[in-house]
Amino acid sequence: MRLEELQAAEQKLLLPTYERNPLLVTGGEGVFLQAEHGVRYLDLLSGIGVSALGYAHPVITAAIQAASASVLHTSNLFFHEGQAALALRLTEASGLNRAFFCNSGTEAWEAALKMARLYGTMRRGEGAALGTRFLAMEGSFHGRTMGSVATTHKEKYREPFAPVMPEVDYIPFNDVAALEAAWSNEYCALLIEPIQGEGGIRPVSQAFMDAARAVTQRTGGLLVADEIQAGFGRTGKWFAFQHYDVAPDIITVAKPLAGGLPLGAMLCTDEVGRAMQPGLHGTTFGGGPLACRVAVAVFDEIERSALLAHVTEVGAYFEQRLAELKQRHPQIVDVRGKGLMLAIELSDALDAKAVLEQMINTHHVLINRTSETVLRFLPPYILKAEHVDLGIAALDASLRHLNEKQLQAAAQTGGTIGD
Ligand SMILES: *Cc1c(COP(=O)(O)O)cnc(C)c1O
């Protein structure tokens, strides 16, 4: 089917959930996607931070082939070798002790919320004074299921589905004074993204992270870090919280975990894990043999090819090239992020959507935007400096083109007024 036919069919058959770009993906290899008519796109988004090893990576292909020749699904009623193998790697890499596997980011976050409530229930049973409320951040995004939207700040995602889960409060991002004023033992958990993703690639400050650990420790509440976008190598460390000298009680992981297959995980300490009992939580598909085997293969490949060091290095180069671009284009007002989780903020004078269209349609470079003004880059970890140069050249040309167009428009309006 061609793009136009697909668009017509989807318009009739699917819920209008997405505003898709008019691009029909037909294949991919490395950091490039192939689209209709053989057009090649440099992918600086990797399916919203999912395809960490790019496309058609031989390690992933081999793991899928091996797993698919055996049992694809066992349910969680029986043992298979994958979950313990993956949990061992994730616990060693994170310093947390226990894992629960599921199928997506939002499910990992739901597991974290339930775990925090469960821990609170257990601690109250042990005589502790610990409430049931959650304290979350303005600008947060934690997913689309009911608990996740209840802890997601943007009203657009929450209000149409009201009433969502109650007992969630928000404080301004990175506001230490607001945190210290708001926090009390009414809260069972403080919810943060070490680097806000959908909120515009905003890293938590060291001071805020320190305060977050200190206040929660004071009351016995939990520090819960959503690492679904920033975790599993994206920032050059296994987990984004490791850039700070702070250990959370619970973290969630998903997007790049199985290199493109759906898989999520919630990791917690032994202390928190004490609260779980058989039958209190579960999933039919979560942590299946295929997804776990592929995730272990991705993990091994990140280690074998020293991709964490590579992400740090190529990420720093990317950031430096963006900073150079900022010198030449006053429309770029900020460059931020860590490793290969980067963004530029544009001045209000420029529409991020117009830049995006230039990048995709004219220069065949895939990126996306998190708001009207923020362009986001989440490329595969295998990105090379030469790919960064291609992306930067495309961005440079896109900004110059839009600038000239604006100047022309201004000149024309000026002329009309002058007449
Ligand atoms: C994407 C994302 C989620 C939701 O993950 P899904 O797999 O889409 O459910 C939650 N938290 C963060 C920080 C994310 O980036």
Side-chain angles (χ1 to χ4, degrees), residues 106-154:
T106 200
E107 277 177 86
W109 192 246
E110 294 286 341
L113 296 176
K114 286 178 79 175
M115 199 67 235
R117 281 276 173 85
L118 199 54
Y119 179 72
T121 304
M122 179 191 76
R123 291 292 296 133
R124 282 191 298 282
E126 293 171 347
L130 196 60
T132 48
R133 303 188 76 81
F134 292 107
L135 190 62
M137 300 300 129
E138 292 182 6
S140 64
F141 180 87
H142 297 298
R144 304 293 199 154
T145 52
M146 275 296 195
S148 297
V149 290
T151 52
T152 289
H153 181 244
K154 214 183 243 178

Side-chain angles (χ1 to χ4, degrees), residues 44 309-325 328 335 337-342 379 383-393:
L44 299 183
H310 175 75
V311 164
T312 303
E313 196 180 320
V314 78
Y317 178 66
F318 201 157
E319 195 175 347
Q320 175 215 321
R321 297 284 335 251
L322 288 170
E324 281 167 24
L325 217 53
R328 273 182 283 137
V335 174
K338 264 199 173 80
L340 287 176
M341 184 173 185
L342 296 168
L383 192 79
K384 294 196 173 126
E386 70 202 59
H387 305 130
V388 173
D389 292 341
L390 281 176
I392 292 289

